Amino acid sequence: MTVTIIGSQLGDEGKGGTVDLYGEGADVVVRYQGGDNAGHTVVVGEETYELSLLPSGVVRGKTCVIGNGCVVNPETLFDELDALRERGLDPDVRVAERAHVIFPYHRRLDGIEEEDKDEEVGTTGRGIGPTYEDKAGRRGVRIGDLLDPEVLRTRLEYVVPQKCAVVEDVFGKEAGEELDVDDLYETYRTYGERLAEEEMTVNCGSYLQSRIDDGDEVLCEGAQGTLIDIDHGNYPFVTSSNPTAGGACTGTGLGPTEIGQGEIVGIVKGYATRVGSGPMPSELAGVEGDTPGYDGDAGEDEENLATYIRDEGGEYGTVTGRPRRVGWLDLPVLRHATRANGFTGIVVGHVDVLAGLDEVKIGVSYDLDGETIDAVPPTTEQWGRCEVDYRSFEGWPEVDWDAVASEGYEAIPENAREYLEFVESELETPLYAVGVGPGREETIVLENPVE
Ligand code: IMP
């Protein structure tokens, strides 16, 4: 049986916490897309682990797999592994031989392209897009190729001159050591040797299927979120992979029937956040440089509200440290995600962050050019023109959330429950858990699909 955890908004919903919670009953945790752009935080007691590539389950001693749909920077892989070992953990991590490798030239090109664009995507600069481009262009290097020096050399000799030409002739920049075939070959062959020595590589789909056939529970951990999915997100302000449920099939090698007969859990942050540029109809105030056209003119009240939510929620990027844009919960986004992913349940988190406000709002529909619509329109330009219709809720007080978490759902302040139940009924999807703080014990579980 599988359980797939997916971000229902624009990433940063707090998936790591749910993977950690539900992962307790899982035997294997697999990431199926993305790379070291996926900052996730796992809090265990006093310890905080910040990861960008390894699946969150690694902290709990689960077998963790980086699926074939991922792009892997071996330097990050080994840095994160070594850092966990230094903290006394014994991580069990496998990497799909079909996953693609991020090279230094991918990161360089990511930066060059961002600089060159009139309207930046605001990427994490980790080389994610350029690596997926090479995958689709059939010129990528896969993890399995690192184990075969001859294949590695042949692939690099083919691709590196093309990258040099792009850097020099298209962008007029100087090619540096990130485009030296001999250096790359030596460094990546060595990574291959380490992968082989530590017996880390797997044939992902068959490995996972055999674990399922043996009765094991597999938890598929999505990175990023539905609205930055390359197909279902707000193109071009997207990542280059499929965080949505279909990506869990292509990115693990498990069939749609296997993933579909399991549970698909949508992670919802109780308000909206966004990193980088692009539309955000329910945004409060703005972040200069990221919010299109914003020059700090939202007014003091709205600015204070945005800052309050940002600071209370710690809304600063795990990977980049950038302040995130914040706004009210947006139901059209959640309806879009519920349909695209086929959620069987939702987890709503960060409910504590909104405590203490007099009024809390939910965007219930959009007005697009005079027409009322209830889900995200297909083009990003249309989405940018949407005006939000809000429903207002009375705020809830600051309470002892640890006590609430131990007492259970009924201990959540009544106004917050009203808010949660409104979301549940609008999405026609049951509420599986409510997060009232960052730690595992600060989540109230109504339904655990991995039991
Ligand atoms: P990339 O994935 O680095 O190519 O970035 C593409 C877009 O996805 C940018 O807008 C990033 O800010 C966004 N993005 C990538 N990873 C994350 C994440 O983990 N959380 C939120 N946004 C992300």
Side-chain angles (χ1 to χ4, degrees), residues 335-394:
R335 291 192 193 99
H336 175 72
T338 303
R339 182 198 45 74
N341 294 296
F343 291 146
T344 54
I346 52 168
V347 173
V348 182
H350 295 68
V351 169
D352 55 310
V353 172
L354 299 175
L357 298 174
D358 293 335
E359 180 195 29
V360 178
K361 292 186 189 177
I362 295 183
V364 289
S365 60
Y366 295 148
D367 181 314
L368 174 61
D369 304 333
E371 198 191 324
T372 302
I373 56 171
D374 68 0
V376 177
T379 78
T380 300
E381 291 67 30
Q382 289 166 344
W383 198 34
R385 291 204 304 279
C386 285
E387 302 279 341
V388 185
D389 305 312
Y390 290 101
R391 173 169 164 163
S392 173
F393 291 78
E394 266 181 53

Side-chain angles (χ1 to χ4, degrees), residues 60 210 291 326 393 408:
R60 297 285 179 187
S210 69
T291 305
V326 297
F393 291 78

